[in-house]
Amino acid sequence: MSGNPTAAPVHPGGPAAPPAPGPRFTAHRAGHAWLLAPAGPVEPRARAFTAGLAPDPEATVVVADLPEGADDATLDRLARAVPAGTGDLRLVFGRPPRRDPVAVARWLAARLGRTVVTARGPLLPVPGGGLYAGPQHGPGWLRCPPGAPDAPDSRTFPRPAWEAALPDRPWRLGRSVAEPLPAGVWLRPADATPDPDGHRGRLVRGVGVRADRLTVAVGAPGAPAVPVADVARFWQDLPPRLRPAVRFLCHGPARLSGGRHFGDVLAQVVGEPVHVLTGLPRPGDDGDDVLLTGPDGTPGRPLRAHEFVHRPPAAGQPASRYAAVHRWPLDALPETGPGVHRLADGVVVEVVPSGLWVRPAAVPAHAVQVRDADPDPAHERVLCDAGAAERLPELRRLARELTRSFPAGLRRAVRLGICRPTPPGGASPAPPPAGAPAHTGLTTLAAEVLRRHPELADPDTDPEAVTALAAVLGRLAGTAASDDPGHLALLRRGLRMLPVHHGPVGLRAGLDEPMRQWYAARREVTDPQACEASALGPADAPGGTDFLIWSADGRRTDLLDPLTPGRVLFPPGTRFRVLPPDPGAPGAVLMRELPPDASPADPGADRAAARDLVRAWREWTGDQGAA
């Protein structure tokens, strides 16, 4: 019995000649393929490469790890190690053989009596375990039947179902060019495409390949928009049986002139529903991921909503869209429509590009605005509909309960927010107080918070209380920071209404060496914006430097956002004293908040703050060594 449990039986075919002298080959199963390697320890990179290849539904995949200068005798020993069978073989070389790879495939086909598929030129690995033979390196994969002429097979392995219906070289479509890619096609302007090689490489190496999905990337960052008429012509030229497999990907701007989404316009032009991906599709550990793309085409964070179906206008209704594929954990909620789940009596949660929308079951008149909003570059949003102010507290409560049900990692990644209909033209329904957040519904929410927590302030005697607390809620919802003095004054006023936190807090940030030296050279710094930290420590926030701050007047926000416990905000303009580095917290920046009336020079306060900060840092990091 063989001592190698992963070794395959050798092929029984071939002449009865004695084995050629030299080291024998052994077949090792790795993933969906076989690795043929000289007997002995297997090279780890060769095994990893083999294990990462996609399954081939049409052939047995064999990776040949031939030594340098392999001759006919070596190939004979290789043939004897091929796993037994009668089906086709797909032959991949770990390193190029001394002779033509197609000639080797023909020889093996005759030797084994089996069709061998191989490629003459170099192969480019693509996401999903595929291998692409580009047009610049010959005809691609070739089929070599025993005793018969070679025949073209495909350019991409695994062979996509749609590949045979498309040209394998670029072709013109009006003012655009359609260029083949491993995952599908790139439609780009025929002229004035900046850095075409860079974008081509990103689409070749970055877009996942699936045999049942034809990904059509449209446009390029910085280039003129591809005419919708050219995209429609591509669609009309496709055989109808292939159209359900098409997934459009906006590689250039997704908005056309007038602000309409590309998918809405295309659906209207072709008169059929079209599927549009929200970003770059890429295989992940537990299924496909879709990555948000930046203005320059570079991939960003993974998105929860992967694909939307854009429907053409019908019966006097405008174009609409719904989520066809998403990864939000909503399976336990009954689905009332595509991408819409029942959350409570009369309340649903809908998957939208920017996250989740908690709304009344009856579709609000401003639905187009919410469904048309783009994703946030940093966070997923759980939005509460503020179209009916009297229902906002109920919707916010349900949104919090829904978010609490998410896994811990997802809870940390989402942000709660409010969405309110914007009047046509963006006009405000009423003049907002000076410096207050406009068009967000936050003042309504702030009034409700003060009603439930009268200890914070009395709106009857403090007319600024509602708008000041709304400014804090806007900061927690992630609205853009403002340098407007009126807004900063309201934010400071709103924060003074919240409970004080005394003691250590932490945050984490990315600092380069010049910034490290900048902090090391100072004894006092002032943050013009609201500084956010946590009484629970830096946790797993991104960045490489921990800031440990002893809070004297920071304000806790648990009353406003219980889903982020321990958050502490320092008002805009807060001063911090930079303390000397401490070996008890290596690499960390230690600070002590200076209240407005405090004297910076207080060695006793500095030592006490540093001692408390080091003790807290050890608790946060799990380092319980002696102080």
Side-chain angles (χ1 to χ4, degrees):
M1 192 169 180
S2 171
N4 183 353
T6 64
V10 297
H11 194 285
R24 65 184 180 89
F25 282 78
T26 305
H28 306 267
R29 187 70 176 178
H32 302 285
W34 292 93
L35 172 62
L36 306 185
V42 177
E43 209 279 321
R45 288 181 298 179
R47 184 185 290 275
F49 170 78
T50 306
L53 293 177
D56 189 340
E58 302 172 351
T60 299
V61 181
V62 173
V63 177
D65 186 22
L66 288 172
E68 293 287 348
D71 54 15
D72 288 349
T74 306
L75 294 178
D76 183 73
R77 294 192 297 273
L78 177 75
R80 294 175 180 273
V82 172
T86 58
D88 296 353
L89 296 172
R90 184 175 296 273
L91 179 63
V92 180
F93 292 98
R95 66 192 82 186
R98 187 167 63 178
R99 65 177 66 178
D100 177 15
V102 177
V104 175
R106 293 190 194 112
W107 184 90
L108 280 176
R111 171 77 164 76
L112 301 174
R114 301 168 67 175
T115 296
V116 179
V117 183
T118 196
R120 175 171 283 122
L123 295 171
L124 179 67
V126 293
L131 296 171
Y132 180 62
Q136 68 273 29
H137 297 300
W141 293 91
L142 292 173
R143 297 180 61 81
C144 302
D150 306 337
D153 182 74
S154 66
R155 289 210 174 273
T156 305
F157 150 70
R159 179 169 56 185
W162 43 262
E163 189 184 57
L166 298 176
D168 69 348
R169 295 186 179 275
W171 72 98
R172 287 293 294 258
L173 282 170
R175 289 184 288 157
S176 308
V177 171
E179 182 176 327
L181 296 173
V185 175
W186 180 23
L187 297 178
R188 57 176 175 81
D191 304 310
T193 300
D195 189 23
D197 291 338
H199 294 303
R200 181 182 300 109
R202 186 172 292 124
L203 292 171
V204 168
R205 293 187 295 270
V207 178
V209 176
R210 279 181 27 184
D212 60 343
R213 182 175 66 199
L214 171 54
T215 303
V216 180
V218 179
V226 172
V228 175
D230 293 350
V231 186
R233 179 178 170 184
F234 171 84
W235 175 267
Q236 298 293 349
D237 289 345
L238 282 176
R241 62 180 176 82
L242 291 184
R243 292 176 191 166
V246 173
R247 300 296 182 268
F248 289 99
L249 165 64
C250 294
H251 190 54
R255 303 284 171 180
L256 304 181
S257 59
R260 296 186 65 193
H261 193 280
F262 160 82
D264 292 339
V265 178
L266 180 62
Q268 181 174 353
V269 170
V270 301
E272 300 179 61
V274 294
H275 293 245
V276 180
L277 297 167
T278 56
L280 287 172
R282 183 171 295 178
D285 293 336
D286 56 349
D288 277 1
D289 287 327
V290 171
L291 306 182
L292 178 68
T293 52
D296 60 351
T298 55
R301 68 174 180 87
L303 294 167
R304 285 275 158 177
H306 289 187
E307 179 185 316
F308 283 83
V309 174
H310 293 250
R311 295 179 289 197
Q317 297 296 315
S320 61
R321 74 182 81 168
Y322 64 85
V325 180
H326 69 85
R327 298 186 72 176
W328 286 100
L330 303 177
D331 291 343
L333 301 175
E335 192 172 26
T336 62
V340 182
H341 295 256
R342 180 182 177 274
L343 191 56
D345 289 341
V347 179
V348 298
V349 55
E350 178 177 342
V351 179
V352 293
S354 57
L356 295 177
W357 179 25
V358 178
R359 61 168 175 84
V363 180
H366 57 275
V368 172
Q369 298 176 15
V370 184
R371 292 166 177 166
D372 199 47
D374 293 323
D376 186 289
H379 302 288
E380 296 283 358
R381 300 284 182 181
V382 177
L383 302 171
C384 303
D385 191 82
E390 69 277 5
R391 300 204 65 179
L392 183 58
E394 175 197 8
L395 299 181
R396 188 170 175 83
R397 174 181 59 80
L398 291 170
R400 287 173 173 162
E401 293 175 356
L402 174 65
T403 308
R404 289 192 190 104
S405 71
F406 293 162
L410 179 56
R411 285 200 305 270
R412 290 192 295 267
V414 302
R415 297 292 184 270
L416 286 177
I418 307 294
C419 59
R420 184 181 182 87
T422 303
S428 174
H439 314 312
T440 62
L442 295 178
T443 52
T444 301
L445 180 59
E448 173 63 20
V449 171
L450 290 177
R451 186 188 66 79
R452 290 186 284 109
H453 298 281
E455 71 277 8
L456 297 181
D458 184 353
D460 294 332
T461 60
D462 185 355
E464 281 193 339
V466 172
T467 52
L469 197 61
V472 179
L473 289 167
R475 170 61 177 78
L476 300 183
T479 56
S482 171
D483 293 324
D484 175 70
H487 173 76
L488 294 179
L490 279 174
L491 184 56
R492 283 191 290 267
R493 171 70 185 89
L495 287 172
R496 285 197 298 270
M497 297 162 59
L498 300 179
V500 176
H501 177 80
H502 290 284
V505 296
L507 63 94
R508 183 169 294 160
L511 290 186
D512 55 19
E513 190 55 35
M515 284 301 297
R516 291 178 185 275
Q517 296 177 5
W518 187 89
Y519 274 100
R522 278 159 176 76
R523 285 293 171 259
E524 183 178 325
V525 296
T526 301
D527 194 334
Q529 295 288 340
C531 174
E532 179 176 330
S534 174
L536 305 179
D540 56 354
T545 301
D546 286 349
F547 283 74
L548 312 180
I549 305 173
W550 204 95
S551 168
D553 198 41
R555 302 298 170 129
R556 297 188 70 111
T557 65
D558 305 64
L559 281 176
L560 305 181
D561 185 11
L563 294 179
T564 311
R567 177 158 52 187
V568 175
L569 284 181
F570 296 97
T574 298
R575 296 183 302 148
F576 300 95
R577 178 167 173 79
V578 182
L579 306 179
D582 194 298
V589 177
L590 278 60
M591 291 179 162
R592 175 170 65 89
E593 180 194 5
L594 295 174
D597 57 349
S599 171
D602 190 341
D606 289 351
R607 288 192 296 270
R611 184 173 57 249
D612 288 351
L613 291 174
V614 170
R615 183 182 300 117
W617 186 82
R618 285 176 168 164
E619 292 176 357
W620 294 332
T621 60
D623 181 1
Q624 300 298 322

